[in-house]
């Protein structure tokens, strides 16, 4: 059985600030922690070595990451999902049955388990067709839920948010210039963006020509914002590894070599 | 080959080196650049402050170690604020690795603030299902999470006798790096079930989420390291996000300079080609 304490194994290795705080408070490093930090250091350097050129160390780290992630996901899924939500409920249903009670709510999980097994039949030659049944069930459920929730949250609510007053008044009945301009920008931005993607009429003339050109600017601004945020995300990852070197690796180096 | 041609064909590895140096120097010599807070982050902070003692916050850890640097500081800041305000925290994960992420955040902070497991906070762990799970949870958390992360029956945890469904939670915070994550929370928990939902997300997905702020479907948003740094500033805590913001600003400046420089090189090259003709 996989121990549930797997979640606690890396407590001291995650979160630079928590680790650094522990070091400041006089934390003593165990052999396991020292080895762990050195492994993390080596793997970080292996991954970054790709920036110079592709090499065997990078490939090793990449494959290790994929393998460890897959193993971890399997263990977690078994422990947190399959064990309590499938085996646990079937077991409870069988125990109830042995006491003369038929609890359909629990026993229905046998069907769910069977459907899960049918999905795996894809791997068995000549029996792959069995996997289509649970797959179509899943597609049906996902489509049904998707249509309802997407329409409500992503279409209707968003349309509602663009139906704004074009002249906003303050409590003193004067015009709120800031909010008025903001609302005009929202309405023009949405309309011009939609017109840009309307391909049944040529983008020429005062309305379609001008609005589609404005639409390009609106889209460019959106792409610019997305690009800026993407740069921030990628730089954050680099900052994260550098903070690891500063707040975790360096204290371990000092503790290891006593300086 | 002239100097101009050398610049034009500059090996991109030199740019990587510049970026690396731009990150390392501010981390070693902090510049303490000014950090302004934004309304989407202030809204989460104000709402958390307005909650009475004992209110429950449901936190969903939907990320893995690959985005830890962006979302862990946000998670730590929110949990820290919650524990300071004597709010209860219930954690869960829609991502398998989110379970250990939540444990790594909650365990040391609970120790720091003397919080008792089961009474002040609970970690329900990971559950598969995404959207379907979020819908089912409205019928009762215990149905989908019969046990917590350690395998303890939730009926044995005092806090879980108080927290039955979304209505029992004053705020739902989605710490999200992708799908399933905050979009599902907005679609189902906020829009369908009418709960207050705030999100902390990776910077990559932040622009998309602003539309939900404008429509009022999201209470507040912490986008990437910057959002987390703002929250850390508001709770007066100097965590990883604030430490990283100097480097973030310097790197952005360097990238802007590179873009300007490459544009100058491009236009000079065009001019040279025209004059050569």
């Amino acid at each position: 059985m996989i121990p549930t304490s797997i979640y606690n194994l890396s407590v001291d290795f995650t979160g630079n600030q928590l680790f650094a705080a522990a070091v400041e408070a006089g934390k003593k490093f165990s052999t396991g922690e020292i080895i762990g930090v050195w492994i993390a250091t080596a793997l970080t350097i292996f991954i970054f070595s790709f920036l110079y050129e592709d090499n065997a160390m990078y490939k090793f780290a990449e494959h290790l990451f994929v393998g460890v992630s897959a193993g971890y996901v399997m263990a977690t899924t078994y422990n947190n999902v399959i064990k309590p939500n499938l085996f646990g409920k079937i077991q409870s249903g069988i125990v109830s049955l042995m006491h003369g009670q038929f609890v359909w709510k629990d026993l229905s999980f046998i069907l769910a388990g069977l459907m899960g097994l049918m999905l795996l039949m894809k791997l068995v030659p000549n029996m792959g067709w069995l996997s289509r049944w649970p797959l179509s069930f899943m597609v049906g459920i996902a489509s049904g839920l998707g249509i309802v929730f997407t329409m409500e949250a992503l279409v209707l609510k968003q349309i509602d948010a663009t139906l704004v007053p074009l002249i906003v008044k303050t409590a003193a009945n004067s015009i709120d210039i800031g909010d008025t301009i903001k609302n005009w920008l929202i309405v023009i931005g949405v309309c011009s963006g939609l017109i840009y993607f309307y391909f049944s009429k040529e983008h020429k003339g005062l309305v379609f020509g001008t609005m589609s050109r404005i639409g390009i600017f609106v889209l460019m601004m959106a792409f610019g914002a997305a690009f800026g945020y993407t740069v921030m995300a990628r730089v954050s990852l680099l900052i994260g590894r550098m903070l690891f070197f500063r707040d975790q690796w360096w204290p371990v180096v000092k503790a290891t070599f006593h300086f | 080959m002239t100097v101009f041609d050398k610049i034009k064909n500059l090996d991109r590895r030199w740019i990587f080196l510049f970026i690396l140096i731009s990150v390392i120097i501010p981390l070693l010599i902090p510049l303490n650049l000014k950090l302004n807070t934004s309304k989407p982050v202030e809204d989460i902070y104000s709402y958390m402050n307005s909650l009475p003692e004992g209110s429950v916050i449901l936190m969903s850890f939907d990320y893995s170690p690959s985005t830890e640097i962006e979302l862990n500081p946000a998670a730590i800041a929110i949990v820290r604020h919650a524990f300071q305000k004597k709010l209860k925290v219930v954690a869960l994960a829609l991502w398998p690795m989110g379970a250990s992420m939540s444990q790594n955040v909650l365990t040391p902070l609970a120790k720091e603030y003397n919080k008792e497991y089961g009474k002040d906070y609970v970690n329900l762990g990971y559950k598969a299902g995404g959207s379907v799970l979020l819908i089912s949870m409205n019928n009762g958390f215990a149905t989908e999470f019969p046990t917590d992360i350690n395998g303890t029956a939730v009926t044995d945890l005092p806090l879980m006798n108080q927290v039955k469904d979304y209505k029992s939670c004053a705020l739902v915070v989605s710490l999200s790096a992708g799908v399933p994550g905050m979009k599902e929370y907005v679609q189902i928990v906020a829009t369908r079930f009418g709960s207050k939902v705030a999100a902390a997300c990776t910077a990559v997905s932040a622009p998309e989420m602003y539309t939900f702020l404008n429509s009022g479907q999201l209470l507040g948003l912490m986008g990437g390291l910057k959002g987390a740094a703002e929250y850390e500033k508001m709770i007066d805590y100097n965590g990883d996000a604030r430490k990283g913001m100097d480097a973030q600003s310097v790197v952005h400046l360097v990238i802007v300079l590179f873009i300007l420089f490459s544009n100058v090189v491009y236009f000079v090259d065009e001019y040279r080609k025209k004059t050569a003709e």
Side-chain angles (χ1 to χ4, degrees), chain A residues 43-64:
Chain A
L43 291 173
T44 303
I45 293 168
F46 288 178
I47 291 290
F48 278 136
S49 69
F50 181 77
L51 293 174
Y52 188 75
E53 64 182 16
D54 199 359
N55 61 74
M57 289 186 306
Y58 167 76
K59 283 201 169 74
F60 167 74
E62 192 186 31
H63 293 159
L64 187 70

Side-chain angles (χ1 to χ4, degrees), chain A residues 33-238:
Chain A
E33 283 170 330
I34 292 171
I35 293 170
V37 169
W38 276 103
I39 290 174
T41 306
L43 291 173
T44 303
I45 293 168
F46 288 178
I47 291 290
F48 278 136
S49 69
F50 181 77
L51 293 174
Y52 188 75
E53 64 182 16
D54 199 359
N55 61 74
M57 289 186 306
Y58 167 76
K59 283 201 169 74
F60 167 74
E62 192 186 31
H63 293 159
L64 187 70
F65 176 72
V66 173
V68 168
S69 304
Y72 187 89
V73 168
M74 275 184 74
T76 310
T77 307
Y78 173 77
N79 236 24
N80 269 42
V81 185
I82 297 175
K83 209 173 121 191
N85 282 38
L86 183 66
F87 295 158
K89 291 196 173 168
I90 293 173
Q91 190 184 18
S92 160
I94 291 170
V95 169
S96 305
L97 204 62
M98 285 163 73
H99 287 90
Q101 279 180 304
F102 183 82
V103 186
W104 169 243
K105 201 177 157 193
D106 288 337
L107 287 170
S108 64
F109 281 85
I110 294 173
L111 282 177
L114 279 174
M115 284 174 94
L117 284 175
M118 282 162 77
L119 262 182
L120 294 175
M121 287 299 120
K122 189 94 183 159
L123 302 170
V124 182
N126 303 326
M127 292 182 82
W129 60 273
L130 273 173
S131 67
R132 288 183 203 149
W133 287 45
L135 204 61
S136 35
F137 179 77
M138 283 159 68
V139 169
I141 292 275
S143 311
L145 292 174
I147 290 166
V148 174
F149 292 116
T150 305
M151 273 307 284
E152 194 177 353
L154 305 184
V155 181
L156 298 176
K157 281 271 180 187
Q158 290 303 316
I159 291 173
D160 188 46
T162 60
L163 300 174
V164 287
L166 293 175
I167 295 170
V168 183
K169 293 206 170 169
T170 60
N173 213 26
S174 59
I175 293 174
D176 185 334
I177 295 171
D179 278 353
T180 301
I181 293 173
K182 193 185 92 179
N183 287 359
W184 272 95
L185 283 175
I186 289 173
V187 172
I188 293 172
V190 170
C191 293
S192 58
L194 287 173
I195 286 174
Y196 178 75
F197 285 106
Y198 185 76
F199 302 117
S200 298
K201 188 168 166 55
E202 205 175 348
H203 292 170
K204 276 183 179 173
L206 188 66
V207 179
F208 272 82
T210 314
M211 286 298 270
S212 66
R213 244 169 278 140
I214 294 171
I216 293 172
F217 281 106
V218 171
L219 290 175
M220 287 299 160
M221 278 189 272
F223 295 149
F227 175 72
Y229 266 110
T230 304
V231 169
M232 186 164 95
R234 304 301 175 236
V235 172
S236 297
L237 301 182
L238 180 60

Side-chain angles (χ1 to χ4, degrees), chain B residues 228-244:
Chain B
E230 289 175 31
Y231 207 93
E232 282 181 358
K233 188 186 174 186
M234 281 187 276
I235 60 165
D236 197 21
Y237 175 69
N238 196 23
D240 272 357
R242 278 174 92 182
K243 284 178 195 166

Side-chain angles (χ1 to χ4, degrees), chain A residues 14 17 52 80 152-153 246, chain B residues 13 27 104 126-127 217:
Chain A
T14 325
Q17 70 231 58
Y52 188 75
N80 269 42
E152 194 177 353
R246 195 190 71 177
Chain B
R13 285 176 289 197
L27 287 181
N104 290 338
Y126 161 71
K127 202 66 69 185
Q217 289 161 284

Side-chain angles (χ1 to χ4, degrees), chain B residues 51-58 87-90 141 159 162-163 168-172:
Chain B
L51 294 175
E53 266 183 32
S55 300
V56 178
I57 294 174
L58 181 71
L87 306 175
K88 316 267 183 192
V89 175
V90 175
F141 292 175
L159 178 58
Q162 179 191 337
V163 184
S168 326
C169 303
L171 179 66
V172 179

